[in-house]
Amino acid sequence: MTMTRAWSLICLCVCLSVGQAAVADAHGEDVIPQLSDEETLIAIKEALVAEAQETESQVVNTAWLDSDGRLHESTLVQSGVRVRGIQVKSYLDAMNEPKIEIALDEKRAALPQCFTQDDQLTRTLVMRSSVQAQGGESGLLDVLYTLERRSVAALRQAFAQTEEWSLYEPGPAVDSYTQLLAGITDVQTQYRMHIDVTLSEQPADHVAEEIPKSDPVSVFFHGNPSKFPEQWVKVHASLQSTQRDEPLWTASAPIRIPVRDVTLGRVRLPDVAEEALIQTINQWSLELTEYGRCEPMHFYLAESGSAGVTISGGANSGIRLGDRLLVLDEARVPSRILEPGTLAQLSLVEVTQVSADTAVVAQTAGAAIEDLAHKVAIPF
C-alpha cells in the first residue's frame, strides 16, 4: 500500500455537526444538549462500526508451532470499506444518550478517502533546492542553475495561490553555534520540500538533435560550429514530513535542452525547456493542491517537559485554543484497523496552549495517551 493511499484511509471524515445548545422557543420545545467528549468519541466509534458492518470483510487465520511445541493462532480481519464520508448527524439527532454496544471496541471500520474537516487549517512548508552537475557537458552548469531558480520561483508562486499550503522562507544554512550566537531562529514547519536539478540520460527511444554543419566536410572547411549539443537534465521534487524520513509525495520530469548557440553572459533558458518546465510545474501544482485537499491533516505528538504533550502544529497551521483532535495510533491505523483493541485506543484531546508552530493538548476522553512515537492527532 502506498503512503498516499494509506494516509487516504486515515482521514476520518466524520461530518460531526455538534452545535451549541438550542434555545427553547415560545412553545417550550426541549433544548438539545451538547454531547460531552466521551459521548462524542462513542458516536465516532458507532459511526465507524456502522460503516464496517455494511461492507464485506476478509478473515485470514494463521496457526504455527513454537520451539516448545505450543500452538499459536492469530486472526487478521481486513475490511473493504471505502467511503467519502461518514454521516454522524443522524446518530447525534437520534440519541438521548450514547448507545454502547457490548463489544464496541472489538469491532473495526476503515476511514474515508477524502477529508474536509480540516479546511480551516493550512500546511506549513519550507522549500530548499540544490544542483548536482558532476561530469556535465560544458555550458550546462549555468542552465542547471537557471532551471533550479525557475523551478523554485514557479513553485513559490503556485503555493502562494493555494489555501492548503503556507510557504515559509528557510533559515540560513549555519551550525547551531552560529544560530545561537546570531540569535537566528528557524521556523518549524510541518513539511519540507526539496528540489533537485541533475544531469540525465536521454530517453532510449529519442533521436538526438543534430548540430547544423557538424558533418566532417563542414568541420574540415569551417571548423566546429559554435553551438552546444543537445543535453538532458532532470528536475526532481520530494515532499516529506519534518517528523518522518519517508517521502509523502515525489515527482520528477526530464527536460530537454536543445542545440543552442555558445554565448557569453547570462544564460537564457531555451523556449522548449521553458515550456516543458512550465507544464511540469503546473502538473505538480495540481497534484500538491489535491494532496492538500484530500490527505488528512495530521499532527505528530511529543512530550515537552512540564508543558505535557505537544503537537507539531500551532497558530501558523490554524490551530486555536479549544480545538479538539482525535488521537490514534498510526502503527495500527489503517493497516491494522480491524484488529481487536484498535478503536479502544482512540482518544480525544483539547488544545490548551498555542504558539507559532506547536500547541499543548490535554486528554479529555478515551484511552490514555501513551507511546507517543506512533501517535498522531487529526481533526474530526
Side-chain angles (χ1 to χ4, degrees):
M1 178 181 291
T2 63
M3 179 62 65
T4 298
R5 184 176 177 185
W7 276 112
S8 294
L9 293 174
I10 287 184
C11 43
L12 181 58
C13 185
V14 287
C15 302
L16 196 55
S17 303
V18 182
Q20 298 293 333
V23 179
D25 61 14
H27 294 85
E29 292 183 2
D30 292 335
V31 176
I32 301 175
Q34 183 178 3
L35 292 182
S36 67
D37 289 327
E38 291 287 350
E39 292 170 330
T40 300
L41 186 58
I42 292 173
I44 292 174
K45 292 179 179 181
E46 288 186 340
L48 291 173
V49 170
E51 290 292 339
Q53 289 173 338
E54 294 179 2
T55 61
E56 295 182 358
S57 298
Q58 180 181 13
V59 180
V60 179
N61 292 313
T62 304
W64 72 95
L65 292 174
D66 61 17
S67 57
D68 297 327
R70 290 175 295 189
L71 179 65
H72 298 267
E73 293 183 284
S74 66
T75 301
L76 175 64
V77 184
Q78 294 180 324
S79 173
V81 60
R82 299 184 65 181
V83 295
R84 286 283 177 180
I86 301 174
Q87 301 298 323
V88 185
K89 185 66 166 61
S90 59
Y91 286 90
L92 302 182
D93 291 341
M95 67 170 67
N96 294 321
E97 61 183 29
K99 299 182 291 295
I100 304 176
E101 298 188 19
I102 294 177
L104 180 63
D105 287 334
E106 300 302 316
K107 297 185 178 181
R108 300 297 148 248
L111 299 170
Q113 285 185 309
C114 210
F115 195 58
T116 59
Q117 297 305 304
D118 60 4
D119 289 347
Q120 78 282 5
L121 301 177
T122 181
R123 290 162 169 77
T124 56
L125 174 75
V126 67
M127 184 163 53
R128 298 184 183 274
S129 60
S130 64
V131 170
Q132 302 176 27
Q134 292 82 359
E137 298 286 344
S138 61
L140 186 57
L141 185 59
D142 289 339
V143 173
L144 292 178
Y145 279 112
T146 302
L147 272 172
E148 176 217 14
R149 291 192 298 269
R150 294 286 291 114
S151 300
V152 171
L155 279 173
R156 287 185 183 279
Q157 183 178 6
F159 282 126
Q161 296 174 352
T162 179
E163 298 179 352
E164 287 75 28
W165 299 92
S166 291
L167 185 63
Y168 289 82
E169 292 294 332
V174 295
D175 57 78
S176 57
Y177 174 76
T178 305
Q179 285 184 338
L180 182 64
L181 188 65
I184 299 173
T185 57
D186 198 2
V187 62
Q188 300 298 314
T189 59
Q190 296 171 274
Y191 300 88
R192 60 174 177 265
M193 174 173 283
H194 202 279
I195 308 297
D196 290 303
V197 181
T198 62
L199 302 177
S200 178
E201 298 291 336
Q202 73 175 30
D205 57 350
H206 176 73
V207 178
E209 178 184 1
E210 293 184 0
I211 299 177
K213 298 182 180 180
S214 62
D215 58 279
V217 176
S218 298
V219 170
F220 178 81
F221 287 103
H222 303 288
N224 290 318
S226 184
K227 292 181 179 293
F228 288 119
E230 177 189 76
Q231 296 156 324
W232 286 81
V233 299
K234 181 175 68 174
V235 181
H236 177 79
S238 177
L239 177 71
Q240 289 181 294
S241 166
T242 53
Q243 306 293 322
R244 296 291 187 270
D245 292 330
E246 64 271 9
L248 303 174
W249 174 90
T250 60
S252 61
I255 303 292
R256 185 178 76 90
I257 310 300
V259 173
R260 64 197 191 283
D261 295 330
V262 176
T263 58
L264 298 177
R266 186 174 180 179
V267 174
R268 177 181 175 275
L269 201 61
D271 292 340
V272 173
E274 180 81 20
E275 293 175 2
L277 181 62
I278 291 175
Q279 292 179 1
T280 296
I281 298 301
N282 288 341
Q283 179 60 36
W284 291 358
S285 300
L286 292 174
E287 293 179 13
L288 289 167
T289 299
E290 184 69 12
Y291 182 95
R293 287 175 180 170
C294 277
E295 291 301 316
M297 174 77 79
H298 58 277
F299 304 97
Y300 294 98
L301 278 66
E303 289 190 35
S304 182
S306 59
V309 177
T310 62
I311 59 172
S312 60
N316 291 342
S317 301
I319 293 293
R320 299 162 298 186
L321 279 176
D323 283 352
R324 294 188 301 171
L325 302 167
L326 179 67
V327 175
L328 45 82
D329 187 343
E330 69 169 347
R332 303 187 69 174
V333 180
S335 60
R336 297 163 59 189
I337 188 67
L338 301 179
E339 291 185 3
T342 299
L343 283 183
Q345 295 182 7
L346 298 181
S347 309
L348 285 187
V349 297
E350 181 178 344
V351 176
T352 58
Q353 298 179 38
V354 180
S355 62
D357 44 37
T358 61
V360 178
V361 297
Q363 179 214 7
T364 60
I369 304 175
E370 301 173 343
D371 190 18
L372 299 185
H374 293 144
K375 294 293 178 67
V376 293
I378 65 174
F380 63 91

